[in-house]
Amino acid sequence: MKTPNETNKQRGEEAEQTPNPLESNVKAAQLWRDAALRSRKLRNDLRQLPPDPKDAAAATADSTADLSHVEALNLGNSLLQELPEGLASSLSNLRVLVLRRNRFSSVPCAVFELRQLVELDLSHNRLRAVAEGLCRLSRLKKLSVSHNSIQRLPERMAALELLEELDVSFNHLCDMPASLRGLARLRTLDVDHNKLSRFPPEILTLGDLEELDCSGNQFEALPEDMVKLKSIKILWLSSLRLKSLPHTLCHLQNLESLMLDGNRLTTLPHAFGGLRTLRMVNLSSNQLTDFPGALLDILGLEELYLSRNKLTRVPEEIGRLQNLVNLWLDNNDIAYLPASLVDLVELEELVLQGNQIAVLPDHFGRLSKVNIWKVKDNPLVRPPYEVCMKGIPHIAAYQRDAARSQVRARPRLKVVLVGRKDAGKTRLCRCLLNESQRETQLLSESQRECQRECQRESQRERECVREPESQRESQRESQLTQSQRESQLSQSQRESQLSQSLLLSDSESQLSDSEGVHASQGMQVSSWAAEGGPAFLVYDLSGKPELDPLKAFFLSPSALYILVVNLQAYSPCSFYSHVGYFLHLLGAKVPQAVVLLVGTHADLCREAELEEKKLDIHRQVGLQQRRDVQVLAGSALKVEQALQQGYAARASCPHSPFYAVSDSNLRRKKAGLRALLDRRLQILSPLLSVSCGAPGGEQTDIWRLCRKLTSVARHPDIFPELYRPLPGSWRTLEELLRRSPQFWLTRRDSARLGQQAGLTGEERLQSALSYLHRSGALLHLEDSPALKDYVFHKPPRLLSILNVFFQRDGTGAAAGAGTRQPDEDGEKLQRHLDAFRSHGLLPSSAIPRLLRPLVQTQRDVDAVLELLDKMGVCYCVNKARGGKPPKGTTELWYKFPGYVHRGDGSPESAPRGAFETEPGGGGLESPTRGAFETEPGGRSPETPPPGAFETEAAGGSTESPPRGAFETEPGSGSPESPLRGAFETKLGGGSTEPDGGRAPPSPPFAAERLQIRYSFPFLLPPGIFARLAARIDRHVVRRWDGRRCVLAYRGKVPVVISHRPAPPQAHTLSISSRAALPNMWTAWQAVTPLLRELDALLEDWPGLHYHKHILCAKCLRRGSASPHAFPGELLSQRRPEGVSELTCPKNSSERVNVALVYPPAPTNIGPE
């Protein structure tokens, strides 16, 4: 038998000849179970029958055939229950017989006559016993009867005196026969995974035994006379219940491999280091709290596995194990790695995942031979986590850059202010900036005082030239001290100015000026630095609802979130709108975020009222957190119970909440719920109250808040990576990005600047951009498929552009228009702005004028529009191929779904002429003559009415849908959809087509509704519906937008996207279509791209808890108020074979066709 180490080496050599060596090495790492299936051929040149077992079985079926030349016969995997008579006479020279994986319930009698057999394999059958007749095979050297149900072995085992290998693993043996003592030549014995209650004493008599596997049995101790196994080389004692090892085990001087994983060991014997020949030891899954020091004396050790223990440290002496090749230390509590670890230059496998490691030793690049490297689930700070995940070469490059870096960057922390519109965020931000300016002013005064003191000291020194030498030396030291203080103050001030200049270089972002801060300026970003502390980049996210589609882009990990609460307006009944909603928002977007609660307007509350409100906020925060955990834990428990129930039981019970869901989908859902439970918000206590208006209390409260922010930023457990040294190339890249005149950069532009900074390679550039994004210096959304190739290196300028479009009160767009002198087009521009704020429509000619203070060229305007389209906040309603307006129009019009606020989205509220064209056939996207007519109050012709441009995206008609096109059958309305249903179908089934308002004839097939519903127990991501409405434009035609609904066609198939708020917190999003049952595939084809768009948006919310269901079409037809919901996991599963209908649990007499529940082909979309 080969040792596990030899097996690994052989696999490594084979891997070098295969195209994927890494995969082979990973498989080789699973040595402790791979070796349990080992097999050694006694010869390599045997003549065999054809390799196909069926051909071999056919050949043996003819007992008259002459098979005397055959020496090896493989009948495995042939489903045999017996062997033909006369087999022995035909195979007189047979030496190797393989009968594994058949259906033998007993050893075939024909086998007993094969007296020349040397090797017999009967594994993976249904044997319950081994007949005594087997002992007549006196030449047998290898016997395998593993993976059967054998309860006893023959008493005449000693008759097999030539036997060298015996495998009886995975059976039901309770003891070993006494005749086992007679197998004097036995070299390998596998008795693992049986029911042995004690170590068999018969084994101790086998003095020549070299390999023994007793794993997975039921004994808890080893005999003291283990030393009798003097020839043992490989010993498997895994998954037993051993709490200690006998000292005699340490006297096995030939032992090379020892497997002790899955036991209860807390320590090793002191003499364990005497096993000098040991090459591999596996101590995983034990209860070791200290690194076994005895292992450090085994200098020849090559493989060491200590996974899943309770180790807290690795000793410095581990560098003595110079021959170590594999080192597994995963899933412990190790917080520190010794510097000597890098001396293990022969390491090929290093597994450290699941620990508490924050810093890797220097010179990590010396471990250049490591090809299996796992380090995830560690709080890595230096190097950063994203660098460590790239591999050893990237770690080495980072450490080289850090060693060359001579400038230590001032710590910088991103701070995000969130809260309601009236919470006082902007006022609080201004007070923080004023406090920073006051500290800077005091710092300058202190510096001038130091200079004056230095001058006075110099003057006194000149006057006292005759003083003793000791006094003059004291004065020189004092002068040096003052000079150092002056230098430190100057350096601190320069760093503060540099930190602010990196962000406040654009004229539109001067929030440091108190005159420039207004509550109506939308989202803003500013910078301030505490004295002797870190620099803070403060993002003030406006509480205006029209900015909801944008806020999520600026919520990033590793930031400090300040939840601002207006204590004057707060009441216990309004807790969720002031506090609870924003906690759910942060938990869904940035799990494990650090949140600090700050109450404003404290000066407007009585002292007793103030304390009462603060206590109530703390109480309700705790209650909400506990309720959320209970909901998630309950869902996880249901998933666990469904897994224990088994797939067959689930598939046979329509009432099961996870009806017919596969085990793999349930395990994936369970892992997602467990991740949500593990990643909770870090809410800092207590709530700080500030008075931003009172002259006396304002400075005291703001000073206290500044001290709190500085204290939190300095806490090593809250922001461990804040004070790590950065490579000089990262700082250089930041400076190069700051100097770039563009609004934002493409990936190619960033790579070019990265090369100038010395960041060669995609991974190194990505690590630097990720850090700058987390620190708030730029915006780089690497997890967003649409925006991952963009780098927004000037956040203030970006915010200024976005604020122009997303302020419904007009302060954004009107600000751009109001700075210029009125001209002949001023009135026309104002009418466009009114239409924009009312209906979300904006012509392309008005956009350059709105952006003129910020952009100057048409190329920049086109870049802004491209950005808005990539962000999914608007779309062009009449853009034809090539990007030019279609015939009959002079300009492009852009729709912002977030501004649609008319009605409730029902078809009845759609304007009669919204889709109609001019008689005589205007252009497909051409606005009709009536679309621009003035209202009685004098609306300008240039102002489009509601719905004027809900047209086809890529050519088509603006025709009005027929009167009944979006209506449901009588009585089919359901609260599950805000529309009173879905659609009627045209004759022939399956599709709906406008017919000029004429009612379609009665269809021969009743139309069925397909509806997929997303429910959000905690939070519907803000702005998600508006972004979805914009992103689906590439898939649909002839659309009409409502406040909570979009009606459109995909080809000729109607689709509805609807949002249904259900107070107080639950929301649902539904995507539905309708078709006749024979053409239901068209409905699936229509909704699948829309589902993918919605799932892509939800992927940006890693902490979001939501469910997906397919609503029962029969319940929808009946108009049920609560239709049955099939689990959404079925969307990713194949339709069950042989099943055409499913039972609706709401009404057992109803049968639902599988085409209404399963898509024609599984999709890759999932609910969690």
Side-chain angles (χ1 to χ4, degrees):
M1 299 293 298
K2 296 175 182 163
T3 65
N5 190 28
E6 293 171 347
T7 303
N8 280 350
K9 289 182 178 179
Q10 180 180 359
R11 291 179 178 179
E13 294 172 357
E14 294 173 354
E16 292 178 358
Q17 302 174 1
T18 62
N20 193 351
L22 181 58
E23 181 179 356
S24 300
N25 287 334
V26 171
K27 292 180 180 178
Q30 311 298 329
L31 54 92
W32 47 86
R33 284 281 41 108
D34 289 346
L37 302 176
R38 57 200 175 278
S39 173
R40 180 171 55 182
K41 290 290 184 180
L42 297 179
R43 61 196 54 82
N44 296 323
D45 56 347
L46 292 178
R47 289 167 290 174
Q48 302 185 26
L49 285 176
D52 189 350
K54 295 182 179 179
D55 296 342
T60 58
D62 184 5
S63 59
T64 62
D66 183 13
L67 302 176
S68 59
H69 64 284
V70 176
E71 295 184 0
L73 177 61
N74 183 359
L75 296 176
N77 292 287
S78 301
L79 305 180
L80 298 176
Q81 298 182 2
E82 59 182 12
L83 291 180
E85 298 179 0
L87 181 67
S89 58
S90 300
L91 299 169
S92 56
N93 291 320
L94 191 66
R95 305 184 66 188
V96 178
L97 177 60
V98 178
L99 298 175
R100 65 194 317 265
R101 296 191 183 279
N102 282 289
R103 298 179 179 179
F104 296 113
S105 57
S106 61
V107 181
C109 296
V111 174
F112 303 150
E113 305 300 326
L114 300 172
R115 301 302 177 85
Q116 303 297 322
L117 270 186
V118 175
E119 182 177 335
L120 176 61
D121 187 352
L122 283 163
S123 60
H124 295 276
N125 278 282
R126 303 174 182 178
L127 305 180
R128 294 186 176 275
V130 179
E132 295 288 341
L134 193 67
C135 299
R136 287 183 282 177
L137 303 176
S138 58
R139 294 174 180 254
L140 206 59
K141 293 185 177 181
K142 179 179 180 179
L143 174 62
S144 176
V145 290
S146 65
H147 293 84
N148 284 283
S149 301
I150 300 173
Q151 300 179 0
R152 62 180 180 84
L153 293 176
E155 293 295 336
R156 297 173 52 205
M157 288 289 293
L160 303 175
E161 56 183 14
L162 299 180
L163 196 63
E164 296 180 357
E165 300 182 25
L166 176 60
D167 186 356
V168 294
S169 59
F170 292 92
N171 281 287
H172 299 162
L173 298 175
C174 296
D175 53 23
M176 301 297 291
S179 59
L180 189 69
R181 304 170 186 264
L183 302 178
R185 297 191 179 186
L186 199 62
R187 300 290 184 269
T188 300
L189 176 60
D190 290 345
V191 295
D192 57 291
H193 294 88
N194 280 280
K195 297 182 179 180
L196 302 175
S197 58
R198 63 181 183 127
F199 189 91
E202 296 81 4
I203 296 179
L204 297 176
T205 62
L206 304 174
D208 292 337
L209 196 64
E210 296 179 356
E211 182 173 351
L212 173 63
D213 191 349
C214 294
S215 305
N217 282 285
Q218 300 176 5
F219 51 86
E220 301 181 1
L222 297 176
E224 290 293 335
D225 49 356
M226 288 286 292
V227 69
K228 293 182 178 180
L229 299 174
K230 57 183 179 179
S231 300
I232 199 74
K233 294 182 179 179
I234 302 176
L235 181 58
W236 294 71
L237 299 171
S238 306
S239 301
L240 300 171
R241 303 175 184 176
L242 303 177
K243 296 182 179 179
S244 61
L245 299 177
H247 290 276
T248 53
L249 182 70
C250 306
H251 301 309
L252 301 176
Q253 296 302 318
N254 293 316
L255 191 61
E256 297 178 359
S257 299
L258 178 60
M259 271 60 69
L260 292 167
D261 54 298
N263 287 288
R264 303 175 183 176
L265 301 175
T266 58
T267 185
L268 296 180
H270 294 292
F272 197 86
L275 297 172
R276 304 296 183 182
T277 58
L278 199 61
R279 296 293 179 266
M280 192 273 282
V281 59
N282 186 357
L283 290 165
S284 301
S285 300
N286 279 281
Q287 300 177 11
L288 300 171
T289 56
D290 296 322
F291 192 97
L295 296 175
L296 302 175
D297 296 330
I298 309 176
L299 301 183
L301 198 62
E302 297 179 0
E303 302 178 54
L304 176 58
Y305 302 92
L306 288 165
S307 308
R308 298 178 296 281
N309 279 281
K310 301 178 182 178
L311 304 179
T312 57
R313 59 180 294 272
V314 179
E316 188 72 32
E317 293 78 11
I318 196 172
R320 298 169 56 188
L321 304 179
Q322 293 291 317
N323 295 320
L324 209 58
V325 177
N326 298 344
L327 178 60
W328 290 50
L329 298 170
D330 55 291
N331 295 288
N332 284 281
D333 294 320
I334 300 171
Y336 170 76
L337 294 177
S340 60
L341 183 70
V342 300
D343 296 334
L344 306 177
V345 293
E346 299 298 326
L347 274 182
E348 297 178 3
E349 299 180 12
L350 181 57
V351 180
L352 301 172
Q353 67 184 32
N355 284 285
Q356 300 299 318
I357 301 170
V359 179
L360 295 182
D362 294 333
H363 309 293
F364 216 74
R366 296 182 61 188
L367 304 178
S368 58
K369 294 184 178 180
V370 172
N371 51 49
I372 293 182
W373 161 251
K374 298 182 180 180
V375 74
K376 67 178 183 178
D377 298 330
N378 279 285
L380 291 162
V381 175
R382 192 173 72 240
Y385 181 83
E386 60 274 9
V387 174
C388 295
M389 292 299 293
K390 302 295 183 182
I392 304 296
H394 299 279
I395 296 174
Y398 174 91
Q399 290 180 339
R400 287 195 300 268
D401 288 346
R404 290 196 299 263
S405 177
Q406 299 179 356
V407 179
R408 184 181 181 90
R410 185 170 189 171
R412 180 173 52 197
L413 178 64
K414 180 180 178 180
V415 177
V416 182
L417 302 181
V418 295
R420 287 179 44 147
K421 181 178 179 180
D422 59 348
K425 300 184 297 297
T426 305
R427 176 71 179 179
L428 178 63
C429 184
R430 183 177 66 181
C431 292
L432 290 173
L433 294 177
N434 291 340
E435 178 66 17
S436 174
Q437 292 173 357
R438 189 178 66 85
E439 290 184 354
T440 303
Q441 183 178 4
L442 293 176
L443 187 64
S444 300
E445 294 178 357
S446 176
Q447 181 180 1
R448 288 193 295 269
E449 181 63 27
C450 288
Q451 292 175 350
R452 289 193 293 268
E453 183 66 23
C454 290
Q455 293 175 358
R456 287 194 292 268
E457 291 291 338
S458 299
Q459 181 65 24
R460 284 195 296 267
E461 184 178 3
R462 286 193 298 268
E463 294 175 354
C464 302
V465 292
R466 296 183 180 181
E467 290 182 320
E469 182 65 25
S470 60
Q471 186 174 358
R472 289 198 299 270
E473 182 66 24
S474 176
Q475 290 179 351
R476 281 194 293 270
E477 291 179 358
S478 175
Q479 181 179 3
L480 180 60
T481 303
Q482 296 295 340
S483 176
Q484 291 175 348
R485 289 175 55 192
E486 178 184 355
S487 175
Q488 292 174 357
L489 290 174
S490 299
Q491 176 67 16
S492 176
Q493 188 175 23
R494 285 195 300 271
E495 288 183 357
S496 176
Q497 294 173 353
L498 175 61
S499 176
Q500 296 192 23
S501 66
L502 290 177
L503 195 64
L504 298 178
S505 57
D506 296 305
S507 60
E508 65 270 17
S509 61
Q510 298 298 330
L511 267 179
S512 58
D513 184 4
S514 61
E515 299 297 330
V517 181
H518 305 283
S520 60
Q521 288 185 344
M523 298 184 294
Q524 302 287 345
V525 59
S526 57
S527 174
W528 63 275
E531 180 183 358
F536 295 93
L537 303 182
V538 184
Y539 283 73
D540 176 12
L541 301 188
S542 173
K544 298 178 181 180
E546 55 267 25
L547 288 165
D548 285 347
L550 302 175
K551 295 175 184 176
F553 293 114
F554 301 93
L555 304 180
S556 59
S558 303
L560 172 62
Y561 292 87
I562 300 180
L563 175 50
V564 185
V565 185
N566 186 342
L567 293 177
Q568 181 192 19
Y570 174 82
S571 64
C573 61
S574 63
F575 165 79
Y576 189 77
S577 62
H578 282 84
V579 181
Y581 167 81
F582 295 99
L583 293 180
H584 277 159
L585 173 67
L586 295 176
K589 181 61 179 177
V590 278
Q592 296 179 302
V594 181
V595 183
L596 176 64
L597 299 177
V598 176
T600 59
H601 302 82
D603 52 322
L604 302 180
C605 301
R606 297 188 303 273
E607 184 176 355
E609 178 188 8
L610 181 64
E611 292 301 321
E612 181 180 353
K613 290 183 176 182
K614 291 169 63 175
L615 290 175
D616 180 76
I617 290 175
H618 281 292
R619 180 183 65 84
Q620 294 209 50
V621 166
L623 289 176
Q624 176 171 298
Q625 293 290 93
R626 286 192 291 272
R627 283 195 302 266
D628 293 350
V629 169
Q630 290 174 359
V631 171
L632 294 174
S635 299
L637 179 60
K638 291 180 181 178
V639 174
E640 181 63 31
Q641 292 173 348
L643 276 171
Q644 295 176 358
Q645 188 181 17
Y647 174 76
R650 293 193 304 272
S652 62
C653 179
H655 295 272
S656 173
F658 299 102
Y659 169 66
V661 178
S662 65
D663 287 345
S664 60
N665 273 332
L666 283 182
R667 284 192 291 268
R668 190 180 301 112
K669 187 177 184 69
K670 177 183 175 182
L673 291 170
R674 179 53 54 189
L676 294 181
L677 284 169
D678 293 340
R679 299 185 297 173
R680 308 299 299 166
L681 292 176
Q682 304 178 58
I683 303 177
L684 306 179
S685 296
L687 181 145
L688 296 179
S689 57
V690 297
S691 302
C692 298
E698 176 180 352
Q699 288 188 357
T700 302
D701 293 339
I702 297 299
W703 180 86
R704 189 186 306 115
L705 177 59
C706 291
R707 299 283 77 77
K708 178 68 174 179
L709 294 178
T710 304
S711 174
V712 171
R714 287 175 173 174
H715 200 292
D717 295 333
I718 300 178
F719 296 106
E721 63 176 12
L722 194 60
Y723 290 89
R724 71 185 186 197
L726 298 179
S729 56
W730 291 19
R731 296 284 296 173
T732 304
L733 175 64
E734 182 179 2
E735 182 67 19
L736 292 174
L737 290 172
R738 185 179 66 86
R739 294 177 180 177
S740 176
Q742 300 170 262
F743 294 136
W744 49 81
L745 301 173
T746 64
R747 190 71 176 189
R748 183 176 181 180
D749 296 333
S750 302
R752 177 176 50 81
L753 296 179
Q755 291 179 352
Q756 295 178 9
L759 292 170
T760 57
E762 180 70 17
E763 292 81 3
R764 297 180 63 190
L765 174 63
Q766 183 61 49
S767 300
L769 293 177
S770 298
Y771 165 76
L772 295 175
H773 169 69
R774 291 196 308 273
S775 66
L778 53 79
L779 187 67
H780 176 52
L781 305 173
E782 56 183 305
D783 296 329
S784 174
L787 297 173
K788 63 181 180 180
D789 293 330
Y790 292 86
V791 176
F792 306 97
H793 57 294
K794 295 184 178 181
R797 202 168 191 178
L798 173 66
L799 289 175
S800 299
I801 293 174
L802 296 177
N803 286 334
V804 170
F805 296 96
F806 291 93
Q807 296 192 74
R808 185 168 291 165
D809 56 7
T811 56
T819 57
R820 295 176 297 276
Q821 295 295 328
D823 51 22
E824 63 276 7
D825 295 332
E827 186 177 350
K828 181 178 179 180
L829 177 62
Q830 187 59 46
R831 288 194 297 269
H832 285 316
L833 293 179
D834 293 339
F836 175 62
R837 290 191 290 268
S838 301
H839 314 300
L841 278 170
L842 198 61
S844 57
S845 60
I847 295 177
R849 301 191 62 185
L850 296 178
L851 296 173
R852 190 169 297 169
L854 304 174
V855 299
Q856 301 297 331
T857 65
Q858 184 60 39
R859 180 179 179 182
D860 294 338
V861 173
D862 294 338
V864 170
L865 293 174
E866 180 185 1
L867 169 64
L868 296 177
D869 179 71
K870 291 287 187 181
M871 298 179 77
V873 294
C874 76
Y875 64 93
C876 182
V877 299
N878 62 335
K879 185 176 182 179
R881 295 180 180 178
K884 298 181 180 180
K887 295 181 179 179
T889 60
T890 58
E891 61 182 352
L892 300 176
W893 286 75
Y894 292 88
K895 180 83 171 185
F896 292 75
Y899 276 84
V900 178
H901 58 280
R902 58 178 180 271
D904 60 353
S906 62
E908 292 78 4
S909 64
R912 175 177 292 272
F915 289 84
E916 294 177 356
T917 58
E918 184 178 355
L924 294 179
E925 271 79 15
S926 173
T928 66
R929 181 177 305 236
F932 292 96
E933 293 178 357
T934 60
E935 298 179 356
R939 180 185 295 270
S940 169
E942 287 79 7
T943 304
F949 280 98
E950 283 76 358
T951 61
E952 187 175 350
S957 173
T958 56
E959 299 171 359
S960 174
R963 185 177 299 272
F966 292 100
E967 296 176 356
T968 61
E969 301 172 5
S972 65
S974 169
E976 299 302 325
S977 175
L979 310 175
R980 192 174 286 271
F983 307 94
E984 293 287 351
T985 56
K986 191 176 179 181
L987 178 64
S991 63
T992 303
E993 188 176 29
D995 58 359
R998 296 189 300 272
S1002 300
F1005 298 104
E1008 299 285 357
R1009 190 195 308 181
L1010 173 65
Q1011 184 167 345
I1012 293 89
R1013 181 185 66 190
Y1014 292 71
S1015 56
F1016 302 86
F1018 299 153
L1019 171 85
L1020 176 71
I1024 194 78
F1025 181 78
R1027 294 187 63 200
L1028 176 63
R1031 291 187 60 159
I1032 66 171
D1033 188 68
R1034 73 187 78 172
H1035 304 291
V1036 301
V1037 297
R1038 294 196 298 277
R1039 57 183 292 167
W1040 181 86
D1041 289 66
R1043 182 162 59 98
R1044 297 197 182 103
C1045 176
V1046 176
L1047 311 177
Y1049 288 90
R1050 177 161 164 78
K1052 295 183 179 181
V1053 182
V1055 290
V1056 176
I1057 300 95
S1058 58
H1059 166 219
R1060 175 177 175 261
Q1065 299 177 20
H1067 294 261
T1068 61
L1069 275 179
S1070 296
I1071 299 177
S1072 55
S1073 183
R1074 197 167 187 140
L1077 187 58
N1079 295 328
M1080 187 51 62
W1081 64 272
T1082 62
W1084 281 110
Q1085 194 177 47
V1087 301
T1088 298
L1090 311 186
L1091 294 174
R1092 289 199 177 100
E1093 292 288 355
L1094 179 54
D1095 284 334
L1097 291 174
L1098 295 178
E1099 286 178 1
D1100 293 338
W1101 299 79
L1104 182 65
H1105 178 49
Y1106 66 97
H1107 306 288
K1108 182 190 295 187
H1109 294 96
I1110 306 115
L1111 299 188
C1112 174
K1114 298 298 182 181
C1115 294
L1116 294 175
R1117 176 182 290 274
R1118 293 196 312 269
S1120 172
S1122 57
H1124 174 67
F1126 293 96
E1129 287 80 6
L1130 299 182
L1131 293 173
S1132 61
Q1133 298 181 195
R1134 295 185 180 276
R1135 292 181 180 179
E1137 296 181 1
V1139 178
S1140 60
E1141 293 182 335
L1142 305 176
T1143 302
C1144 175
K1146 295 284 185 179
N1147 188 351
S1148 57
S1149 62
E1150 293 279 0
R1151 299 290 179 177
V1152 183
N1153 193 286
V1154 292
L1156 299 172
V1157 179
Y1158 290 87
T1163 65
N1164 57 355
I1165 47 181
E1168 286 291 353

